[in-house]
Amino acid sequence: QVQLQQWGAGLLKPSETLSLTCAVYGGSFSGYYWTWIRQPPGKGLEWLGEINHSRTTNYSPSLKSRVTISVDTSKNQFSLRLSSVTAADTAVYYCARGGYCTGSSCYSSWVDPWGQGILVTVSS
Amino acid sequence: DIVMTQSPDSLAVSLGERATVNCKSSQGVLYNSNNKNYLAWYQQKPGQPPRLLIYWASTRESGVPDRFSGSGSGTDFTLTISSLQAEDVAVYYCQQYYSTPYTFGQGTKLEIK
């Protein structure tokens, strides 16, 4: 059974860079897209972006200039960096598994499973 | 971006009664090539990550009780709980995975009346 465990700094100051990492245990790592989603306190879910083992990325246009998702296939880990954070970036950040790839073709898919989430607070 | 709009924002239903949540997409999420609707439903309880309930608009995830069902096609979708149980109190989200960014609805909060 695939499990995702995530970690990173939980308190940042405005203008700093958010950095989170998610490790994938069990199951195939290379056959999927790996995804970041966030949820501001008391609000809904926002899809941030995804990456596959070939380092093909898709980002939300609203954050594209500030988001970088990377992958370390040797460790079955993927990471999120969000630059120049403000209070509006305060949220629970989730890592999750998304689409899948077979051979040279990749396909979109629902999100499952999810990591436990980590609250990142941006405050001066 | 495809905008997902859920209705209602909140819903109170008596135990044992039917609960219905609607989701409308700003453009169709049905792929003609495979005749599948790229629409999923999730349940989220406080302090927990979302849980996948339904994918392909109507396929129930393994382990999800059969009182949960999904229907609809194109731009209009429905999540139905046939007989509400106390443990179903949660926020429910729809999501389209037809095109990036894979957007979510704003959520529907389901409570017991």
Side-chain angles (χ1 to χ4, degrees), chain B residues 7-105:
Chain B
S7 62
D9 289 334
S10 63
L11 180 62
V13 175
S14 300
L15 290 173
E17 295 300 304
R18 177 185 299 260
T20 301
V21 180
N22 300 301
C23 175
K24 187 175 185 67
S25 58
S26 61
Q27 62 189 77
V29 298
L30 172 65
Y31 253 119
N32 291 328
S33 61
N34 59 9
N35 199 36
K36 288 185 180 293
N37 287 283
Y38 283 55
L39 190 285
W41 287 97
Y42 303 87
Q43 175 194 65
Q44 187 178 33
K45 297 181 179 180
Q48 298 182 15
R51 171 196 181 193
L52 176 69
L53 297 176
I54 303 281
Y55 55 92
W56 298 135
S58 61
T59 301
R60 197 180 306 113
E61 169 70 338
S62 176
V64 173
D66 60 7
R67 63 180 181 273
F68 290 90
S69 64
S71 62
S73 184
T75 61
D76 292 278
F77 301 91
T78 300
L79 173 70
T80 301
I81 307 172
S82 60
S83 176
L84 189 70
Q85 305 299 302
E87 61 265 32
D88 301 334
V89 169
V91 179
Y92 292 84
Y93 294 94
C94 60
Q95 183 210 16
Q96 63 81 19
Y97 47 97
Y98 181 89
S99 66
T100 60
Y102 299 136
T103 44
F104 292 86

Side-chain angles (χ1 to χ4, degrees), chain A residues 37 39 43-45 47 50 58 60-61 94 108-112 114-116, chain B residues 1 38 40 42 44 48-50 52 55-56 61 93 95 97 100-102 104:
Chain A
I37 291 164
Q39 184 172 37
K43 296 188 178 181
L45 300 162
W47 185 89
E50 62 180 3
N58 293 300
S60 173
Y94 294 102
S108 63
S109 177
W110 51 91
V111 178
D112 184 69
W114 299 60
Q116 79 276 16
Chain B
D1 299 5
Y38 283 55
Y42 303 87
Q44 187 178 33
Q48 298 182 15
L52 176 69
Y55 55 92
W56 298 135
E61 169 70 338
Y93 294 94
Q95 183 210 16
Y97 47 97
T100 60
Y102 299 136
F104 292 86

